[in-house]
Amino acid sequence: MAAPNPLEALLTSPFAPPITPLKGTIKKCSVRELVNVETGRLTFSGIQAAANDPFVNFELNDPTWSGRTKQIDNAGDSGEWEDLQISFKCDETTLATTAAGSKLTVTCLDHNSITAHVFIGSAEVDISNLADNMNIDVGYEVELKQKNGEKGGMLKL
């Protein structure tokens, strides 16, 4: 049995300091090297058999929260969202431990108006270092994985 994390034990003890509510904001998001959901292959800018209309969903489980970008029509293999103001609540205790709330689930989908949106890829972003970087912009880059485990693209926050 693994020894308990000392920081986690301190923060969850009855003598722990009060939890400080925090707010995280996603300011920018970009995706690239997206798999073309129509053909199963990577697309190349300017040469596309069918174009993705990507959008990105964000989910945090503790507390439960979700947010989303707008879709970009006919984006192909990449998309960029500037000047986002997608905010979520968190706290120092959750971010400083291995709790579920220290992982931001990010899912990229191809928008469809008539049928269900098509899954391109997803990733979990470890945001536990936000507790050490308050009031500082922090960047993340992760690989999006398809359901079969293959690369679906790259995501940058």
Side-chain angles (χ1 to χ4, degrees):
M1 185 171 177
N5 176 335
L7 178 60
E8 194 168 340
L10 174 68
L11 292 172
T12 56
S13 82
F15 306 106
I19 295 173
T20 306
L22 302 172
K23 181 174 95 170
T25 303
I26 301 168
K27 296 179 180 181
K28 293 182 180 183
C29 177
S30 64
V31 291
R32 66 182 193 283
E33 301 173 29
L34 295 179
V35 169
N36 184 305
V37 295
E38 301 294 326
T39 64
R41 296 188 304 263
L42 289 173
T43 61
F44 299 95
S45 298
I47 307 170
Q48 302 165 11
N52 291 320
D53 305 313
F55 68 93
V56 179
N57 272 340
F58 305 97
E59 291 181 28
L60 196 62
N61 293 325
D62 188 21
T64 301
W65 167 86
S66 65
R68 163 188 167 160
T69 66
K70 294 180 180 180
Q71 81 264 5
I72 300 175
D73 294 331
N74 299 315
D77 67 345
S78 62
E80 193 165 324
W81 296 267
E82 295 281 336
D83 302 319
L84 290 174
Q85 291 300 313
I86 299 175
S87 296
F88 57 92
K89 292 180 182 178
C90 52
D91 62 65
E92 291 176 81
T93 303
T94 302
L95 294 177
T97 66
T98 56
S102 65
K103 301 278 188 207
L104 179 68
T105 303
V106 182
T107 307
C108 185
L109 298 131
D110 176 36
H111 181 270
N112 286 328
S113 332
I114 299 173
T115 61
H117 304 312
V118 179
F119 178 84
I120 295 175
S122 68
E124 282 192 340
V125 179
D126 181 359
I127 59 171
S128 61
N129 69 338
L130 290 181
D132 298 329
N133 295 293
M134 288 190 228
N135 301 317
I136 299 173
D137 287 345
V138 178
Y140 299 94
E141 188 164 1
V142 294
E143 185 175 290
L144 296 168
K145 294 285 189 180
Q146 297 179 48
K147 289 180 182 174
N148 62 7
E150 292 185 23
K151 182 178 177 180
M154 294 297 296
L155 174 113
K156 187 174 184 178
L157 295 175

PDB file of all heavy atoms in Angstrom, residues 66-104:
ATOM      1  N   SER A  66     -18.731  22.683 -17.040  1.00  0.00           N
ATOM      2  CA  SER A  66     -18.375  22.459 -18.443  1.00  0.00           C
ATOM      3  C   SER A  66     -18.435  23.784 -19.189  1.00  0.00           C
ATOM      4  O   SER A  66     -19.150  24.704 -18.798  1.00  0.00           O
ATOM      5  CB  SER A  66     -19.298  21.425 -19.097  1.00  0.00           C
ATOM      6  OG  SER A  66     -20.612  21.916 -19.160  1.00  0.00           O
ATOM      7  N   GLY A  67     -17.658  23.882 -20.232  1.00  0.00           N
ATOM      8  CA  GLY A  67     -17.621  25.054 -21.094  1.00  0.00           C
ATOM      9  C   GLY A  67     -17.311  24.609 -22.504  1.00  0.00           C
ATOM     10  O   GLY A  67     -16.944  23.453 -22.730  1.00  0.00           O
ATOM     11  N   ARG A  68     -17.436  25.515 -23.459  1.00  0.00           N
ATOM     12  CA  ARG A  68     -17.256  25.113 -24.852  1.00  0.00           C
ATOM     13  C   ARG A  68     -16.889  26.317 -25.707  1.00  0.00           C
ATOM     14  O   ARG A  68     -17.323  27.433 -25.454  1.00  0.00           O
ATOM     15  CB  ARG A  68     -18.559  24.486 -25.314  1.00  0.00           C
ATOM     16  CG  ARG A  68     -18.710  24.374 -26.767  1.00  0.00           C
ATOM     17  CD  ARG A  68     -20.065  23.921 -27.206  1.00  0.00           C
ATOM     18  NE  ARG A  68     -20.095  24.181 -28.628  1.00  0.00           N
ATOM     19  CZ  ARG A  68     -20.889  23.641 -29.488  1.00  0.00           C
ATOM     20  NH1 ARG A  68     -21.802  22.816 -29.086  1.00  0.00           N
ATOM     21  NH2 ARG A  68     -20.820  23.935 -30.748  1.00  0.00           N
ATOM     22  N   THR A  69     -16.092  26.061 -26.742  1.00  0.00           N
ATOM     23  CA  THR A  69     -15.800  27.079 -27.746  1.00  0.00           C
ATOM     24  C   THR A  69     -16.905  27.043 -28.794  1.00  0.00           C
ATOM     25  O   THR A  69     -17.704  26.105 -28.838  1.00  0.00           O
ATOM     26  CB  THR A  69     -14.460  26.817 -28.460  1.00  0.00           C
ATOM     27  OG1 THR A  69     -14.580  25.608 -29.226  1.00  0.00           O
ATOM     28  CG2 THR A  69     -13.304  26.718 -27.483  1.00  0.00           C
ATOM     29  N   LYS A  70     -16.931  28.027 -29.663  1.00  0.00           N
ATOM     30  CA  LYS A  70     -17.805  27.974 -30.835  1.00  0.00           C
ATOM     31  C   LYS A  70     -17.135  27.080 -31.872  1.00  0.00           C
ATOM     32  O   LYS A  70     -15.925  26.885 -31.843  1.00  0.00           O
ATOM     33  CB  LYS A  70     -17.980  29.375 -31.425  1.00  0.00           C
ATOM     34  CG  LYS A  70     -18.723  30.312 -30.504  1.00  0.00           C
ATOM     35  CD  LYS A  70     -18.858  31.690 -31.134  1.00  0.00           C
ATOM     36  CE  LYS A  70     -19.619  32.608 -30.189  1.00  0.00           C
ATOM     37  NZ  LYS A  70     -19.773  33.952 -30.743  1.00  0.00           N
ATOM     38  N   GLN A  71     -17.925  26.542 -32.791  1.00  0.00           N
ATOM     39  CA  GLN A  71     -17.316  25.758 -33.857  1.00  0.00           C
ATOM     40  C   GLN A  71     -16.749  26.695 -34.926  1.00  0.00           C
ATOM     41  O   GLN A  71     -17.214  27.816 -35.090  1.00  0.00           O
ATOM     42  CB  GLN A  71     -18.299  24.762 -34.485  1.00  0.00           C
ATOM     43  CG  GLN A  71     -19.233  25.335 -35.519  1.00  0.00           C
ATOM     44  CD  GLN A  71     -20.584  25.709 -34.939  1.00  0.00           C
ATOM     45  OE1 GLN A  71     -20.801  25.619 -33.738  1.00  0.00           O
ATOM     46  NE2 GLN A  71     -21.491  26.131 -35.785  1.00  0.00           N
ATOM     47  N   ILE A  72     -15.746  26.193 -35.625  1.00  0.00           N
ATOM     48  CA  ILE A  72     -15.164  26.939 -36.742  1.00  0.00           C
ATOM     49  C   ILE A  72     -15.524  26.163 -38.003  1.00  0.00           C
ATOM     50  O   ILE A  72     -15.056  25.027 -38.199  1.00  0.00           O
ATOM     51  CB  ILE A  72     -13.633  27.068 -36.611  1.00  0.00           C
ATOM     52  CG1 ILE A  72     -13.267  27.807 -35.327  1.00  0.00           C
ATOM     53  CG2 ILE A  72     -13.063  27.782 -37.828  1.00  0.00           C
ATOM     54  CD1 ILE A  72     -11.782  27.888 -35.056  1.00  0.00           C
ATOM     55  N   ASP A  73     -16.366  26.739 -38.840  1.00  0.00           N
ATOM     56  CA  ASP A  73     -16.821  26.060 -40.047  1.00  0.00           C
ATOM     57  C   ASP A  73     -15.695  25.885 -41.049  1.00  0.00           C
ATOM     58  O   ASP A  73     -14.897  26.792 -41.285  1.00  0.00           O
ATOM     59  CB  ASP A  73     -17.973  26.837 -40.691  1.00  0.00           C
ATOM     60  CG  ASP A  73     -19.212  26.852 -39.807  1.00  0.00           C
ATOM     61  OD1 ASP A  73     -19.397  25.891 -39.030  1.00  0.00           O
ATOM     62  OD2 ASP A  73     -19.990  27.824 -39.878  1.00  0.00           O
ATOM     63  N   ASN A  74     -15.622  24.684 -41.637  1.00  0.00           N
ATOM     64  CA  ASN A  74     -14.654  24.340 -42.686  1.00  0.00           C
ATOM     65  C   ASN A  74     -13.215  24.644 -42.291  1.00  0.00           C
ATOM     66  O   ASN A  74     -12.427  25.118 -43.090  1.00  0.00           O
ATOM     67  CB  ASN A  74     -14.998  25.065 -43.991  1.00  0.00           C
ATOM     68  CG  ASN A  74     -16.366  24.679 -44.499  1.00  0.00           C
ATOM     69  OD1 ASN A  74     -16.708  23.489 -44.513  1.00  0.00           O
ATOM     70  ND2 ASN A  74     -17.166  25.648 -44.881  1.00  0.00           N
ATOM     71  N   ALA A  75     -12.864  24.324 -41.061  1.00  0.00           N
ATOM     72  CA  ALA A  75     -11.518  24.626 -40.561  1.00  0.00           C
ATOM     73  C   ALA A  75     -10.465  23.662 -41.084  1.00  0.00           C
ATOM     74  O   ALA A  75      -9.300  24.012 -41.152  1.00  0.00           O
ATOM     75  CB  ALA A  75     -11.521  24.612 -39.039  1.00  0.00           C
ATOM     76  N   GLY A  76     -10.865  22.440 -41.419  1.00  0.00           N
ATOM     77  CA  GLY A  76      -9.868  21.485 -41.891  1.00  0.00           C
ATOM     78  C   GLY A  76      -9.088  20.869 -40.757  1.00  0.00           C
ATOM     79  O   GLY A  76      -9.653  20.346 -39.817  1.00  0.00           O
ATOM     80  N   ASP A  77      -7.749  20.975 -40.816  1.00  0.00           N
ATOM     81  CA  ASP A  77      -6.913  20.292 -39.835  1.00  0.00           C
ATOM     82  C   ASP A  77      -6.531  21.144 -38.634  1.00  0.00           C
ATOM     83  O   ASP A  77      -5.785  20.694 -37.780  1.00  0.00           O
ATOM     84  CB  ASP A  77      -5.654  19.743 -40.505  1.00  0.00           C
ATOM     85  CG  ASP A  77      -4.712  20.839 -40.990  1.00  0.00           C
ATOM     86  OD1 ASP A  77      -5.137  22.007 -41.064  1.00  0.00           O
ATOM     87  OD2 ASP A  77      -3.554  20.527 -41.295  1.00  0.00           O
ATOM     88  N   SER A  78      -7.019  22.381 -38.557  1.00  0.00           N
ATOM     89  CA  SER A  78      -6.651  23.222 -37.419  1.00  0.00           C
ATOM     90  C   SER A  78      -7.740  24.253 -37.134  1.00  0.00           C
ATOM     91  O   SER A  78      -8.567  24.545 -37.983  1.00  0.00           O
ATOM     92  CB  SER A  78      -5.326  23.924 -37.674  1.00  0.00           C
ATOM     93  OG  SER A  78      -5.432  24.776 -38.786  1.00  0.00           O
ATOM     94  N   GLY A  79      -7.696  24.780 -35.934  1.00  0.00           N
ATOM     95  CA  GLY A  79      -8.613  25.837 -35.538  1.00  0.00           C
ATOM     96  C   GLY A  79      -7.994  26.620 -34.397  1.00  0.00           C
ATOM     97  O   GLY A  79      -7.196  26.086 -33.634  1.00  0.00           O
ATOM     98  N   GLU A  80      -8.355  27.879 -34.302  1.00  0.00           N
ATOM     99  CA  GLU A  80      -7.804  28.724 -33.248  1.00  0.00           C
ATOM    100  C   GLU A  80      -8.893  29.618 -32.686  1.00  0.00           C
ATOM    101  O   GLU A  80      -9.664  30.206 -33.434  1.00  0.00           O
ATOM    102  CB  GLU A  80      -6.661  29.561 -33.812  1.00  0.00           C
ATOM    103  CG  GLU A  80      -5.839  30.231 -32.752  1.00  0.00           C
ATOM    104  CD  GLU A  80      -4.516  30.745 -33.286  1.00  0.00           C
ATOM    105  OE1 GLU A  80      -3.915  30.095 -34.156  1.00  0.00           O
ATOM    106  OE2 GLU A  80      -4.105  31.812 -32.819  1.00  0.00           O
ATOM    107  N   TRP A  81      -8.945  29.691 -31.367  1.00  0.00           N
ATOM    108  CA  TRP A  81      -9.901  30.539 -30.671  1.00  0.00           C
ATOM    109  C   TRP A  81      -9.101  31.521 -29.821  1.00  0.00           C
ATOM    110  O   TRP A  81      -8.413  31.141 -28.888  1.00  0.00           O
ATOM    111  CB  TRP A  81     -10.825  29.711 -29.791  1.00  0.00           C
ATOM    112  CG  TRP A  81     -11.686  28.771 -30.564  1.00  0.00           C
ATOM    113  CD1 TRP A  81     -12.946  29.012 -31.028  1.00  0.00           C
ATOM    114  CD2 TRP A  81     -11.372  27.435 -30.972  1.00  0.00           C
ATOM    115  NE1 TRP A  81     -13.432  27.917 -31.699  1.00  0.00           N
ATOM    116  CE2 TRP A  81     -12.471  26.933 -31.690  1.00  0.00           C
ATOM    117  CE3 TRP A  81     -10.260  26.603 -30.823  1.00  0.00           C
ATOM    118  CZ2 TRP A  81     -12.503  25.647 -32.226  1.00  0.00           C
ATOM    119  CZ3 TRP A  81     -10.282  25.343 -31.362  1.00  0.00           C
ATOM    120  CH2 TRP A  81     -11.395  24.881 -32.053  1.00  0.00           C
ATOM    121  N   GLU A  82      -9.168  32.787 -30.173  1.00  0.00           N
ATOM    122  CA  GLU A  82      -8.463  33.848 -29.444  1.00  0.00           C
ATOM    123  C   GLU A  82      -9.459  34.565 -28.533  1.00  0.00           C
ATOM    124  O   GLU A  82     -10.648  34.555 -28.780  1.00  0.00           O
ATOM    125  CB  GLU A  82      -7.878  34.873 -30.433  1.00  0.00           C
ATOM    126  CG  GLU A  82      -6.811  34.313 -31.337  1.00  0.00           C
ATOM    127  CD  GLU A  82      -5.458  34.187 -30.667  1.00  0.00           C
ATOM    128  OE1 GLU A  82      -5.196  34.906 -29.690  1.00  0.00           O
ATOM    129  OE2 GLU A  82      -4.673  33.347 -31.126  1.00  0.00           O
ATOM    130  N   ASP A  83      -8.971  35.217 -27.528  1.00  0.00           N
ATOM    131  CA  ASP A  83      -9.781  36.045 -26.633  1.00  0.00           C
ATOM    132  C   ASP A  83     -10.970  35.305 -26.031  1.00  0.00           C
ATOM    133  O   ASP A  83     -12.063  35.851 -25.919  1.00  0.00           O
ATOM    134  CB  ASP A  83     -10.268  37.312 -27.359  1.00  0.00           C
ATOM    135  CG  ASP A  83      -9.111  38.137 -27.883  1.00  0.00           C
ATOM    136  OD1 ASP A  83      -8.108  38.257 -27.155  1.00  0.00           O
ATOM    137  OD2 ASP A  83      -9.206  38.653 -29.014  1.00  0.00           O
ATOM    138  N   LEU A  84     -10.765  34.044 -25.646  1.00  0.00           N
ATOM    139  CA  LEU A  84     -11.811  33.301 -24.941  1.00  0.00           C
ATOM    140  C   LEU A  84     -11.904  33.820 -23.523  1.00  0.00           C
ATOM    141  O   LEU A  84     -10.924  34.306 -22.962  1.00  0.00           O
ATOM    142  CB  LEU A  84     -11.460  31.806 -24.885  1.00  0.00           C
ATOM    143  CG  LEU A  84     -11.510  31.028 -26.187  1.00  0.00           C
ATOM    144  CD1 LEU A  84     -10.995  29.606 -25.959  1.00  0.00           C
ATOM    145  CD2 LEU A  84     -12.914  30.990 -26.743  1.00  0.00           C
ATOM    146  N   GLN A  85     -13.029  33.709 -22.941  1.00  0.00           N
ATOM    147  CA  GLN A  85     -13.215  34.045 -21.524  1.00  0.00           C
ATOM    148  C   GLN A  85     -14.041  32.938 -20.880  1.00  0.00           C
ATOM    149  O   GLN A  85     -15.095  33.182 -20.306  1.00  0.00           O
ATOM    150  CB  GLN A  85     -13.881  35.415 -21.372  1.00  0.00           C
ATOM    151  CG  GLN A  85     -13.018  36.584 -21.768  1.00  0.00           C
ATOM    152  CD  GLN A  85     -11.742  36.676 -20.931  1.00  0.00           C
ATOM    153  OE1 GLN A  85     -11.758  36.574 -19.711  1.00  0.00           O
ATOM    154  NE2 GLN A  85     -10.619  36.862 -21.602  1.00  0.00           N
ATOM    155  N   ILE A  86     -13.556  31.698 -20.981  1.00  0.00           N
ATOM    156  CA  ILE A  86     -14.246  30.546 -20.410  1.00  0.00           C
ATOM    157  C   ILE A  86     -13.682  30.343 -19.009  1.00  0.00           C
ATOM    158  O   ILE A  86     -12.524  29.962 -18.849  1.00  0.00           O
ATOM    159  CB  ILE A  86     -14.052  29.292 -21.279  1.00  0.00           C
ATOM    160  CG1 ILE A  86     -14.627  29.541 -22.682  1.00  0.00           C
ATOM    161  CG2 ILE A  86     -14.695  28.080 -20.624  1.00  0.00           C
ATOM    162  CD1 ILE A  86     -14.374  28.418 -23.661  1.00  0.00           C
ATOM    163  N   SER A  87     -14.475  30.640 -17.985  1.00  0.00           N
ATOM    164  CA  SER A  87     -13.998  30.593 -16.601  1.00  0.00           C
ATOM    165  C   SER A  87     -14.578  29.408 -15.847  1.00  0.00           C
ATOM    166  O   SER A  87     -15.707  29.004 -16.078  1.00  0.00           O
ATOM    167  CB  SER A  87     -14.377  31.877 -15.869  1.00  0.00           C
ATOM    168  OG  SER A  87     -13.727  32.976 -16.458  1.00  0.00           O
ATOM    169  N   PHE A  88     -13.773  28.879 -14.931  1.00  0.00           N
ATOM    170  CA  PHE A  88     -14.225  27.792 -14.071  1.00  0.00           C
ATOM    171  C   PHE A  88     -13.746  28.051 -12.655  1.00  0.00           C
ATOM    172  O   PHE A  88     -12.752  28.733 -12.431  1.00  0.00           O
ATOM    173  CB  PHE A  88     -13.720  26.433 -14.574  1.00  0.00           C
ATOM    174  CG  PHE A  88     -12.223  26.321 -14.704  1.00  0.00           C
ATOM    175  CD1 PHE A  88     -11.455  25.832 -13.662  1.00  0.00           C
ATOM    176  CD2 PHE A  88     -11.591  26.708 -15.882  1.00  0.00           C
ATOM    177  CE1 PHE A  88     -10.081  25.736 -13.786  1.00  0.00           C
ATOM    178  CE2 PHE A  88     -10.228  26.605 -16.014  1.00  0.00           C
ATOM    179  CZ  PHE A  88      -9.462  26.109 -14.966  1.00  0.00           C
ATOM    180  N   LYS A  89     -14.495  27.515 -11.677  1.00  0.00           N
ATOM    181  CA  LYS A  89     -14.137  27.671 -10.272  1.00  0.00           C
ATOM    182  C   LYS A  89     -13.329  26.465  -9.827  1.00  0.00           C
ATOM    183  O   LYS A  89     -13.562  25.344 -10.278  1.00  0.00           O
ATOM    184  CB  LYS A  89     -15.389  27.801  -9.413  1.00  0.00           C
ATOM    185  CG  LYS A  89     -16.140  29.080  -9.659  1.00  0.00           C
ATOM    186  CD  LYS A  89     -17.366  29.176  -8.783  1.00  0.00           C
ATOM    187  CE  LYS A  89     -18.121  30.460  -9.094  1.00  0.00           C
ATOM    188  NZ  LYS A  89     -19.336  30.582  -8.297  1.00  0.00           N
ATOM    189  N   CYS A  90     -12.379  26.717  -8.949  1.00  0.00           N
ATOM    190  CA  CYS A  90     -11.571  25.651  -8.384  1.00  0.00           C
ATOM    191  C   CYS A  90     -11.095  26.129  -7.010  1.00  0.00           C
ATOM    192  O   CYS A  90     -11.434  27.220  -6.583  1.00  0.00           O
ATOM    193  CB  CYS A  90     -10.400  25.300  -9.300  1.00  0.00           C
ATOM    194  SG  CYS A  90      -9.405  26.717  -9.802  1.00  0.00           S
ATOM    195  N   ASP A  91     -10.318  25.311  -6.330  1.00  0.00           N
ATOM    196  CA  ASP A  91      -9.778  25.739  -5.051  1.00  0.00           C
ATOM    197  C   ASP A  91      -8.375  25.176  -4.871  1.00  0.00           C
ATOM    198  O   ASP A  91      -7.996  24.204  -5.521  1.00  0.00           O
ATOM    199  CB  ASP A  91     -10.699  25.351  -3.883  1.00  0.00           C
ATOM    200  CG  ASP A  91     -10.870  23.863  -3.744  1.00  0.00           C
ATOM    201  OD1 ASP A  91      -9.878  23.173  -3.441  1.00  0.00           O
ATOM    202  OD2 ASP A  91     -11.997  23.383  -3.935  1.00  0.00           O
ATOM    203  N   GLU A  92      -7.619  25.788  -3.968  1.00  0.00           N
ATOM    204  CA  GLU A  92      -6.222  25.399  -3.746  1.00  0.00           C
ATOM    205  C   GLU A  92      -6.099  23.957  -3.291  1.00  0.00           C
ATOM    206  O   GLU A  92      -5.179  23.256  -3.690  1.00  0.00           O
ATOM    207  CB  GLU A  92      -5.583  26.311  -2.703  1.00  0.00           C
ATOM    208  CG  GLU A  92      -5.389  27.724  -3.197  1.00  0.00           C
ATOM    209  CD  GLU A  92      -4.842  28.620  -2.109  1.00  0.00           C
ATOM    210  OE1 GLU A  92      -3.614  28.579  -1.893  1.00  0.00           O
ATOM    211  OE2 GLU A  92      -5.635  29.332  -1.480  1.00  0.00           O
ATOM    212  N   THR A  93      -7.022  23.491  -2.458  1.00  0.00           N
ATOM    213  CA  THR A  93      -6.949  22.134  -1.947  1.00  0.00           C
ATOM    214  C   THR A  93      -7.054  21.124  -3.075  1.00  0.00           C
ATOM    215  O   THR A  93      -6.258  20.199  -3.178  1.00  0.00           O
ATOM    216  CB  THR A  93      -8.073  21.877  -0.912  1.00  0.00           C
ATOM    217  OG1 THR A  93      -7.951  22.848   0.119  1.00  0.00           O
ATOM    218  CG2 THR A  93      -7.982  20.487  -0.338  1.00  0.00           C
ATOM    219  N   THR A  94      -8.036  21.297  -3.935  1.00  0.00           N
ATOM    220  CA  THR A  94      -8.220  20.376  -5.049  1.00  0.00           C
ATOM    221  C   THR A  94      -7.014  20.401  -5.975  1.00  0.00           C
ATOM    222  O   THR A  94      -6.520  19.368  -6.404  1.00  0.00           O
ATOM    223  CB  THR A  94      -9.494  20.732  -5.840  1.00  0.00           C
ATOM    224  OG1 THR A  94     -10.597  20.677  -4.954  1.00  0.00           O
ATOM    225  CG2 THR A  94      -9.730  19.774  -6.984  1.00  0.00           C
ATOM    226  N   LEU A  95      -6.519  21.589  -6.283  1.00  0.00           N
ATOM    227  CA  LEU A  95      -5.396  21.702  -7.203  1.00  0.00           C
ATOM    228  C   LEU A  95      -4.096  21.168  -6.613  1.00  0.00           C
ATOM    229  O   LEU A  95      -3.220  20.732  -7.347  1.00  0.00           O
ATOM    230  CB  LEU A  95      -5.208  23.160  -7.633  1.00  0.00           C
ATOM    231  CG  LEU A  95      -6.346  23.741  -8.467  1.00  0.00           C
ATOM    232  CD1 LEU A  95      -6.078  25.209  -8.758  1.00  0.00           C
ATOM    233  CD2 LEU A  95      -6.551  22.967  -9.759  1.00  0.00           C
ATOM    234  N   ALA A  96      -3.953  21.200  -5.299  1.00  0.00           N
ATOM    235  CA  ALA A  96      -2.713  20.751  -4.669  1.00  0.00           C
ATOM    236  C   ALA A  96      -2.704  19.253  -4.379  1.00  0.00           C
ATOM    237  O   ALA A  96      -1.724  18.719  -3.910  1.00  0.00           O
ATOM    238  CB  ALA A  96      -2.490  21.523  -3.374  1.00  0.00           C
ATOM    239  N   THR A  97      -3.799  18.570  -4.660  1.00  0.00           N
ATOM    240  CA  THR A  97      -3.884  17.132  -4.391  1.00  0.00           C
ATOM    241  C   THR A  97      -4.085  16.384  -5.702  1.00  0.00           C
ATOM    242  O   THR A  97      -4.107  16.971  -6.776  1.00  0.00           O
ATOM    243  CB  THR A  97      -5.069  16.828  -3.450  1.00  0.00           C
ATOM    244  OG1 THR A  97      -6.287  17.141  -4.134  1.00  0.00           O
ATOM    245  CG2 THR A  97      -4.972  17.602  -2.161  1.00  0.00           C
ATOM    246  N   THR A  98      -4.266  15.099  -5.584  1.00  0.00           N
ATOM    247  CA  THR A  98      -4.499  14.273  -6.768  1.00  0.00           C
ATOM    248  C   THR A  98      -5.993  14.066  -6.999  1.00  0.00           C
ATOM    249  O   THR A  98      -6.396  13.128  -7.659  1.00  0.00           O
ATOM    250  CB  THR A  98      -3.812  12.901  -6.611  1.00  0.00           C
ATOM    251  OG1 THR A  98      -4.286  12.299  -5.405  1.00  0.00           O
ATOM    252  CG2 THR A  98      -2.308  13.052  -6.554  1.00  0.00           C
ATOM    253  N   ALA A  99      -6.815  14.943  -6.443  1.00  0.00           N
ATOM    254  CA  ALA A  99      -8.268  14.820  -6.579  1.00  0.00           C
ATOM    255  C   ALA A  99      -8.684  14.939  -8.038  1.00  0.00           C
ATOM    256  O   ALA A  99      -7.949  15.467  -8.876  1.00  0.00           O
ATOM    257  CB  ALA A  99      -8.961  15.897  -5.752  1.00  0.00           C
ATOM    258  N   ALA A 100      -9.906  14.489  -8.327  1.00  0.00           N
ATOM    259  CA  ALA A 100     -10.429  14.517  -9.697  1.00  0.00           C
ATOM    260  C   ALA A 100     -10.452  15.921 -10.282  1.00  0.00           C
ATOM    261  O   ALA A 100     -10.309  16.101 -11.474  1.00  0.00           O
ATOM    262  CB  ALA A 100     -11.835  13.918  -9.736  1.00  0.00           C
ATOM    263  N   GLY A 101     -10.621  16.931  -9.447  1.00  0.00           N
ATOM    264  CA  GLY A 101     -10.710  18.304  -9.917  1.00  0.00           C
ATOM    265  C   GLY A 101      -9.414  18.866 -10.444  1.00  0.00           C
ATOM    266  O   GLY A 101      -9.387  19.960 -10.985  1.00  0.00           O
ATOM    267  N   SER A 102      -8.309  18.134 -10.294  1.00  0.00           N
ATOM    268  CA  SER A 102      -7.040  18.630 -10.817  1.00  0.00           C
ATOM    269  C   SER A 102      -6.824  18.221 -12.277  1.00  0.00           C
ATOM    270  O   SER A 102      -5.772  18.466 -12.837  1.00  0.00           O
ATOM    271  CB  SER A 102      -5.878  18.152  -9.951  1.00  0.00           C
ATOM    272  OG  SER A 102      -5.760  16.752 -10.017  1.00  0.00           O
ATOM    273  N   LYS A 103      -7.825  17.601 -12.870  1.00  0.00           N
ATOM    274  CA  LYS A 103      -7.759  17.194 -14.280  1.00  0.00           C
ATOM    275  C   LYS A 103      -8.883  17.871 -15.062  1.00  0.00           C
ATOM    276  O   LYS A 103     -10.048  17.756 -14.711  1.00  0.00           O
ATOM    277  CB  LYS A 103      -7.924  15.683 -14.426  1.00  0.00           C
ATOM    278  CG  LYS A 103      -6.904  14.870 -13.689  1.00  0.00           C
ATOM    279  CD  LYS A 103      -5.631  14.754 -14.441  1.00  0.00           C
ATOM    280  CE  LYS A 103      -4.729  13.762 -13.720  1.00  0.00           C
ATOM    281  NZ  LYS A 103      -3.347  13.997 -13.939  1.00  0.00           N
ATOM    282  N   LEU A 104      -8.513  18.581 -16.111  1.00  0.00           N
ATOM    283  CA  LEU A 104      -9.465  19.212 -17.006  1.00  0.00           C
ATOM    284  C   LEU A 104      -9.604  18.293 -18.223  1.00  0.00           C
ATOM    285  O   LEU A 104      -8.609  18.018 -18.901  1.00  0.00           O
ATOM    286  CB  LEU A 104      -8.945  20.588 -17.430  1.00  0.00           C
ATOM    287  CG  LEU A 104      -9.798  21.397 -18.401  1.00  0.00           C
ATOM    288  CD1 LEU A 104     -11.095  21.839 -17.729  1.00  0.00           C
ATOM    289  CD2 LEU A 104      -9.024  22.624 -18.869  1.00  0.00           C
TER     290      LEU A 104
END
